[in-house]
Amino acid sequence: MIKKFIHQFASPKTYLFQVNRVYKYIFYFSLLIYTFSLIWGLLFTPEDFVQGNSFRIIYLHVPASFLSQSLYAIMAIASVTYLIWRVKLAAYLIIAIAPIGAMTTFLALISGSIWGIPTWGTWWQWDARITSTLILFIMYLGLISLHNSFSNFEKADKLLSWLVIVGFINIPIIKKSVDWWSTLHQSASITLTDKPSIDPSMLYPLIGSMIGFFGLIFCLVIISSKLQIFKREKTKSWIKDYV
């Protein structure tokens, strides 16, 4: 029953129909809220007592860091779905998300380095959080290169799914690195169990920027996944009618 449900509602044809219905609404809402949050955070939030104005890069760095890990987690879920239920769309999503994940991880590394210069006095430090995030970036690039090296898509999808699942071990390492080892990074300011330690004047635009950034990245994933579907389903009659 579960297999039937997944195959019925996660088919490439159904997926294209559904995402096309919601894409423009997600895009414009996300662009609006992210722009509003950036203006709020950059122009109207007071300076940080310790870091001054340099903290304002948080409205790019934190969303990018969060999404870099979240996208990999989604890839891992898609990998399990593909290996167990052989859902084609799940395989398409894995390779569609990988370049977007690499981009967000790169943004997290670059923005973190820019933030580190005035805060720590150095743009790079081989601490646990930065190193494990760099490993995540390399993993994304490796997965993309590996998949592109195969001419047989089915073999590439299977191997990629297994590697994504194995590589998922790095995600909790990134998240817990500041608690397990001594690093330059502070512990998370926002958690599900504790009251946020960040001032509300900084917190609200940060939450808005995370929501808006997530929506914009989701739109990129939609575009990338549609390209994968067009590439992989180009011989099907329904795709010709769709195009």
Side-chain angles (χ1 to χ4, degrees), residues 207-235:
I207 294 174
S209 67
M210 292 180 69
I211 295 172
F213 192 82
F214 178 86
L216 293 174
I217 293 300
F218 182 71
C219 289
L220 285 180
V221 170
I222 289 176
I223 295 173
S224 181
S225 61
K226 288 173 67 175
L227 292 175
Q228 283 297 317
I229 292 173
F230 293 152
K231 178 181 178 180
R232 302 284 290 271
E233 301 282 320
K234 60 184 178 182
T235 59

Side-chain angles (χ1 to χ4, degrees), residues 62-87:
V62 171
S65 299
F66 178 77
L67 262 296
S68 67
Q69 301 169 50
S70 300
L71 288 173
Y72 196 94
I74 295 172
M75 288 172 60
I77 295 172
S79 297
V80 173
T81 303
Y82 175 71
L83 291 173
I84 294 177
W85 291 291
R86 290 292 187 267
V87 177

Side-chain angles (χ1 to χ4, degrees), residues 3-204:
K3 182 177 180 180
K4 182 179 179 181
F5 176 83
I6 292 175
H7 278 280
Q8 181 179 356
F9 294 98
S11 69
K13 184 177 180 179
T14 304
Y15 173 81
L16 283 179
F17 175 75
Q18 295 296 340
V19 296
N20 282 335
R21 290 178 57 191
V22 301
Y23 174 83
K24 65 179 180 180
Y25 301 106
I26 296 175
F27 175 76
Y28 288 119
F29 172 78
S30 301
L31 182 62
L32 177 64
I33 193 171
Y34 189 59
T35 302
F36 175 78
S37 299
L38 280 182
I39 294 173
W40 185 359
L42 295 179
L43 301 181
F44 298 103
T45 300
E47 290 186 25
D48 182 75
F49 179 75
V50 177
Q51 301 181 56
N53 282 316
S54 64
F55 89 95
R56 298 184 194 278
I57 202 169
I58 194 176
Y59 302 114
L60 172 63
H61 178 69
V62 171
S65 299
F66 178 77
L67 262 296
S68 67
Q69 301 169 50
S70 300
L71 288 173
Y72 196 94
I74 295 172
M75 288 172 60
I77 295 172
S79 297
V80 173
T81 303
Y82 175 71
L83 291 173
I84 294 177
W85 291 291
R86 290 292 187 267
V87 177
K88 291 190 300 181
L89 179 61
Y92 300 167
L93 287 176
I94 297 169
I95 192 58
I97 291 173
I100 312 300
M103 181 194 72
T104 56
T105 307
F106 180 75
L107 284 176
L109 289 169
I110 291 298
S111 59
S113 296
I114 295 172
W115 195 1
I117 294 173
T119 305
W120 302 328
T122 179
W123 69 275
W124 188 267
Q125 183 74 26
W126 291 99
D127 77 342
R129 172 62 64 83
I130 299 174
T131 303
S132 55
T133 302
L134 177 62
I135 291 173
L136 177 63
F137 178 63
I138 295 172
M139 286 167 55
Y140 275 124
L141 296 182
L143 292 170
I144 296 168
S145 299
L146 179 64
H147 192 274
N148 291 339
S149 67
F150 278 80
S151 57
N152 186 310
F153 286 130
E154 185 176 355
K155 289 183 179 179
D157 292 338
K158 289 181 181 179
L159 179 58
L160 204 69
S161 297
W162 282 113
L163 290 177
V164 168
I165 293 171
V166 172
F168 182 75
I169 188 64
N170 190 43
I171 301 303
I173 291 176
I174 295 174
K175 182 173 178 57
K176 301 298 293 184
S177 58
V178 294
D179 300 319
W180 293 343
W181 297 287
S182 176
T183 71
L184 290 175
H185 283 81
Q186 66 181 44
S187 300
S189 300
I190 305 175
T191 65
L192 297 176
T193 56
D194 300 319
K195 182 180 179 180
S197 59
I198 185 172
D199 188 86
S201 63
M202 303 175 183
L203 175 63
Y204 298 143

